[in-house]
Amino acid sequence: MSMVADAPLKNAVPTDQELIDFVVSEARLIDQQRFDEWLDMYADDAFYWMPLEWNQTDPRLTCSLMYEDKLLLSIRVERLKGARTFSQKPKSRCHHVLQTPQVDSRDAATNNYVTWTPMHYLETRLDEQTLYAAWATHHLGVEHGRLKIKLKRVDLINCDAAFGNIQLFM
Amino acid sequence: MIRYAGNAAALRALVRDQEVHRDVYVSEEVFQLEMEHMFPNSWVYVGHDSQVPNPGDYFGTTIGTQPVLLVRHTDGKVHVLHNRCPHKGTRITSETCGNTGKFFRCPYHAWSFKTDGSLLAIPLKKGYENTGFEQSHAAPGMAPVRHVRNYRGFVFAKINDGGLDFEEFFGESLSSFDNMIDRSPVGQLKVAGGVLRYMHNCNWKMLVENQTDTCHPMVAHESSAGTVVEVWKKAPPGTKKPMAVEIIAPFMSPYEFFENMGIRIWDNGHGHTGVHHSIHSDYSAVPGYFEKMKAAYGEARAKAILDENRHNTVYFPNIMIKGPIQLLRHFKPIAANKTLVESWTFQLVDAPDMLLERTLMYNRLINAPTSIVGHDDLEMYERAQEGLHSNGNEWVNLQRLYSPDEAGQTNVAVNGTSEWPMRHQFRAWTKFMTMGM
C-alpha cells in the first residue's frame, strides 16, 4: 500500500492538501502499528511532546507526560518488539479519529508548516478500553523533497488527570 | 464477613517472620482498618510548605483516605485542617490549591472560618441562640489535625493523640531529608515543575515495598532499560552520552551492583537503599554547581553532601524520597486494589537550572503514566493483585536473607538485595495497626 508518509512532494513547497494527507497518514501508521515507518516520518532532531499542564510553554523546567527526542522514540519502538516486554503481553491496540487537520501557518522561506488537528484517541488492552481527547499540533518541514515532523505536540484535554498506563503513541 | 475489626490477634497473625498473608493486600476490611488505625497512628506526609508560601494559601490532600488541607495562617504558621465544613460536611475548597484570603467560606451556607480553622461567622446567627450551639461539635469550626510538624519545609501530621512523637517515629531517618535539602547551597527546597499523577490498580503497599526491591530492575525493566542499553550500543563511538541514557541505563546494573550498594534499616519501617553507591552515582557534573556548594559549605562538607548517593528512602507508611535527584513519591491509598501515585519534584534553591531539568527528566522517564519504565512496574503490581486471589497459596514470601535475630535491630546496613526492609515495614505495619486496639 502506498502511503503519503514516504511519498516525495510534487513541488518544493507542499500544498495544504499534502500537509493534511501527511498528518492523517501518521495516525494511520500508528493505528496499524507500523512503527518503523512511523518513526521515519520524524526529522533526526524532532521532538514528540505531551504537556502535563494546560497551555504549557516550557518543556524543560516544567514536567511533561512525554518530551522525547528521536533516540527515546526509537527506544520505545524497539521495546514494543521485545520478547520480555511484559506490559505488552498481550499487546495494546489503538484507534485515532481525527478532524480534518487545519493548516494554521505556512512559511516556505523558513520551511515551517504548522497544522492543528482535534482528535479522539482510543487505546485498548485486554478488557480495558480508554478514550482520550486531544489536539495534535504538527510542526512540519521539507527535507530532501519529503515532509518530516519537526515537532508533534499532543495536548490532552485532561492533561493533568491521574491516568493508568498510556502505552502507545497519540 | 467481618474477621479483623477489633481483633488485634487476627491482624498480628497476618504477618509472620518470613511471610505475610495475602489479606494485607486484597482484603477491603483490612484496608478499612488501615485507614482507621494505621494511618491515624502514624506521622503521615501532608505536603511541602513551599506549596503554601503566603498567608491564605492552601493545598488539599489526604491522610490515608481522609481529606485534609495544608494552609498558611495569617501569622505565617502552617496548619493542617480536616477539609470538611463542621455544619453539613461539605468540602470547603473548590480547587486543589489556591489562596482563600483571610478566611475560608463554605460554598453551601456561607459559614466562615479563619485560616487556623476557628469559626469566624455564621449567617442568621440568631437562629442558634439558646440552642446550646456552643457545646456542639460544630462550634469550634474546622477541626484541626492537632499533631503537625514542619521538618525543614516538609509537613507531617498525625491524626490520633496516641502513638509516638515525631522524633521517636522518625529518629535517624531524617538524615535523608537533611541530605536532600543540604544539596541546595542555601539549604532550601521548593516544589517545582508540576506533579505527575499515575493511577495504579493495586494495593499501596506493593509500591512501598518495591522501593527497596533491588532484584526486579534487571528483570522487569529489561524491556525499557535493557532496550536503552542495546540501542545506545549502536551509537557511533565518541557520541556524548545523553542525560536520558545516564538516567535509565543504570536500572540494568547486575545483581552484584545492588548487593554491594547496601540497604540501611531504621526504626518504624523506615530505611534506604544505596548505602555506598546507587543508580544515581554516576551522573555528569552540572557546570557551576560544585563551586556554589563549596562557597556555601566549604569543600569537605560540600563533598560529603554530594557523595551521599542514597537511592530510595522509604518513610513508612507511604512516601519515598530520592535525595540525589530531589524527588518525592506519595503513594495515596484509595481502596485495597487502588492507589494514586503522585510524583513531586523539588528545585534546589540557588542551584543551576540544569539540576531541575534532570530531576524533571527523571520523573518523566521513570514515573509518568506514559513512562515505559513505569509500565514495567505497574504490569507486575497488577498481575500480583490478580494472582493473589489464587487459593493455591495464601502467603507472600519475604524471606530473602532473613536472619532470626533481625527483629529489634536498627540502624544497620545489610546486603542490598535483602528483603529485610519489607519485613521491617510489616513489623511497623502490625505495630501501628494494632496500637490502642
Side-chain angles (χ1 to χ4, degrees):
Chain A
M1 187 197 70
S2 74
M3 286 289 294
V4 175
D6 57 357
L9 295 170
K10 291 200 177 65
N11 298 295
V13 175
T15 62
D16 278 7
Q17 192 58 50
E18 282 172 322
L19 296 169
I20 291 165
D21 290 348
F22 183 83
V23 169
V24 170
S25 64
E26 193 222 349
R28 179 170 176 169
L29 286 181
I30 299 172
D31 285 354
Q32 295 185 320
Q33 310 217 356
R34 293 159 67 182
F35 295 121
D36 289 313
E37 291 167 74
W38 171 75
L39 205 53
D40 279 343
M41 299 181 83
Y42 285 75
D44 287 343
D45 56 354
F47 274 86
Y48 180 109
W49 185 16
M50 281 179 75
L52 177 65
E53 281 186 0
W54 182 248
N55 291 333
Q56 187 174 333
T57 54
D58 179 7
R60 195 172 81 94
L61 299 180
T62 302
C63 200
S64 300
L65 288 161
M66 278 176 76
Y67 184 64
E68 303 207 342
D69 60 12
K70 210 169 171 182
L71 175 75
L72 286 169
L73 292 178
S74 66
I75 285 162
R76 283 181 183 267
V77 168
E78 284 308 305
R79 175 180 177 271
L80 291 171
K81 302 172 189 168
R84 292 185 180 149
T85 302
F86 302 109
S87 77
Q88 283 296 292
K89 286 175 177 292
K91 287 188 181 301
S92 301
R93 293 191 288 264
C94 67
H95 182 255
H96 286 79
V97 179
L98 309 185
Q99 275 186 28
T100 305
Q102 298 172 36
V103 179
D104 274 5
S105 72
R106 38 182 314 130
D107 186 344
T110 60
N111 193 26
N112 266 309
Y113 305 90
V114 181
T115 64
W116 191 73
T117 314
M119 63 182 192
H120 283 184
Y121 169 84
L122 195 142
E123 198 171 283
T124 170
R125 181 171 175 249
L126 293 161
D127 295 339
E128 294 286 325
Q129 183 166 286
T130 313
L131 177 66
Y132 304 87
W135 298 272
T137 308
H138 286 75
H139 295 249
L140 306 173
V142 180
E143 279 183 14
H144 308 296
R146 286 177 162 82
L147 279 170
K148 291 279 180 186
I149 299 168
K150 297 199 267 194
L151 170 69
K152 179 179 179 182
R153 171 178 172 142
V154 179
D155 284 279
L156 283 165
I157 185 163
N158 58 344
C159 51
D160 45 8
F163 299 110
N165 280 345
I166 300 174
Q167 301 217 46
L168 300 177
F169 303 95
M170 289 200 192
Chain B
M1 184 175 67
I2 294 179
R3 293 196 293 161
Y4 296 111
N7 192 348
L11 287 166
R12 282 194 196 96
L14 293 172
V15 177
R16 297 177 178 170
D17 277 355
Q18 303 167 24
E19 57 188 7
V20 294
H21 192 268
R22 65 165 172 197
D23 277 3
V24 304
Y25 305 99
V26 302
S27 161
E28 277 296 337
E29 193 197 358
V30 169
F31 180 84
Q32 289 308 325
L33 292 169
E34 288 178 337
M35 299 305 115
E36 286 169 34
H37 298 279
M38 204 208 69
F39 276 77
N41 283 331
S42 304
W43 284 91
V44 179
Y45 178 67
V46 176
H48 191 264
D49 70 6
S50 65
Q51 293 169 267
V52 289
N54 304 307
D57 285 349
Y58 64 85
F59 165 66
T61 181
T62 47
I63 296 178
T65 48
Q66 297 190 41
V68 297
L69 274 178
L70 179 69
V71 56
R72 179 85 64 176
H73 190 46
T74 37
D75 63 2
K77 207 178 153 219
V78 166
H79 292 257
V80 180
L81 307 175
H82 288 275
N83 193 357
R84 161 202 206 281
C85 181
H87 179 203
K88 300 285 274 264
T90 314
R91 183 165 59 88
I92 294 289
T93 56
S94 54
E95 309 235 18
T96 305
C97 57
N99 185 289
T100 192
K102 285 199 168 28
F103 60 91
F104 289 113
R105 181 177 183 272
C106 178
Y108 197 1
H109 301 94
W111 287 31
S112 61
F113 313 92
K114 292 180 192 164
T115 46
D116 63 358
S118 55
L119 187 64
L120 185 63
I122 303 178
L124 301 171
K125 196 154 189 239
K126 279 187 178 161
Y128 293 93
E129 281 173 11
N130 306 316
T131 64
F133 180 74
E134 294 71 21
Q135 281 75 51
S136 75
H137 285 108
M142 292 169 69
V145 177
R146 276 192 299 276
H147 308 282
V148 177
R149 183 64 183 272
N150 183 343
Y151 186 79
R152 300 187 68 183
F154 291 84
V155 180
F156 290 85
K158 181 164 65 69
I159 287 178
N160 283 356
D161 289 335
L164 309 180
D165 68 29
F166 184 83
E167 274 72 22
E168 221 179 340
F169 185 82
F170 285 116
E172 291 166 273
S173 73
L174 294 168
S175 58
S176 283
F177 273 115
D178 289 335
N179 180 257
M180 181 157 84
I181 300 161
D182 290 346
R183 286 167 179 264
S184 151
V186 293
Q188 206 184 328
L189 295 181
K190 208 176 135 188
V191 164
V195 55
L196 279 169
R197 302 169 69 236
Y198 197 171
M199 196 62 82
H200 281 42
N201 290 319
C202 67
N203 188 270
W204 63 276
K205 294 186 289 301
M206 289 179 181
L207 280 134
V208 178
E209 282 173 44
N210 190 61
Q211 307 310 310
T212 59
D213 182 308
T214 55
C215 287
H216 84 280
M218 66 299 288
V219 183
H221 298 308
E222 187 182 332
S223 99
S224 51
T227 307
V228 169
V229 171
E230 288 310 308
V231 171
W232 178 239
K233 273 183 193 160
K234 292 175 201 144
T239 315
K240 190 181 176 295
K241 195 189 258 192
M243 195 188 266
V245 176
E246 268 190 4
I247 286 171
I248 306 186
F251 281 75
M252 280 310 282
S253 304
Y255 287 119
E256 296 71 34
F257 175 93
F258 289 102
E259 285 189 305
N260 295 333
M261 88 178 194
I263 292 182
R264 181 170 282 119
I265 315 289
W266 286 304
D267 266 341
N268 299 322
H270 318 306
H272 77 90
T273 53
V275 177
H276 311 293
H277 59 267
S278 78
I279 61 166
H280 306 302
S281 298
D282 291 328
Y283 294 155
S284 299
V286 169
Y289 176 47
F290 187 68
E291 288 66 30
K292 279 204 147 181
M293 289 292 284
K294 205 164 75 175
Y297 294 101
E299 186 162 3
R301 172 91 182 108
K303 209 167 171 309
I305 293 167
L306 299 178
D307 278 353
E308 201 53 79
N309 271 298
R310 299 182 185 191
H311 174 190
N312 294 341
T313 300
V314 170
Y315 288 98
F316 189 81
N318 67 330
I319 61 164
M320 176 276 272
I321 68 165
K322 280 181 174 291
I325 199 89
Q326 298 92 50
L327 192 146
L328 182 150
R329 303 187 76 206
H330 197 168
F331 310 115
K332 291 183 156 179
I334 293 175
N337 61 356
K338 197 166 185 182
T339 306
L340 172 64
V341 189
E342 290 181 348
S343 297
W344 294 88
T345 43
F346 296 87
Q347 183 166 26
L348 297 168
V349 176
D350 206 28
D353 279 350
M354 194 179 160
L355 284 152
L356 177 60
E357 185 181 359
R358 183 161 66 194
T359 297
L360 295 178
M361 182 181 278
Y362 187 97
N363 209 21
R364 189 169 76 228
L365 293 176
I366 312 299
N367 299 327
T370 36
S371 152
I372 54 178
V373 177
H375 296 167
D376 293 338
D377 286 317
L378 180 51
E379 176 69 13
M380 296 308 139
Y381 307 145
E382 290 185 346
R383 287 191 191 202
Q385 193 71 33
E386 286 179 25
L388 285 172
H389 287 92
S390 155
N391 289 338
N393 172 5
E394 294 184 3
W395 296 89
V396 171
N397 188 285
L398 299 173
Q399 200 157 9
R400 193 164 57 239
L401 294 167
Y402 170 74
S403 155
D405 64 350
E406 69 182 29
Q409 286 192 53
T410 186
N411 200 15
V412 286
V414 298
N415 182 304
T417 62
S418 174
E419 283 171 341
W420 187 336
M422 300 170 209
R423 297 190 286 272
H424 186 64
Q425 285 158 20
F426 274 105
R427 288 179 192 119
W429 183 87
T430 309
K431 175 172 166 182
F432 296 107
M433 189 76 159
T434 58
M435 192 173 261
M437 232 179 223

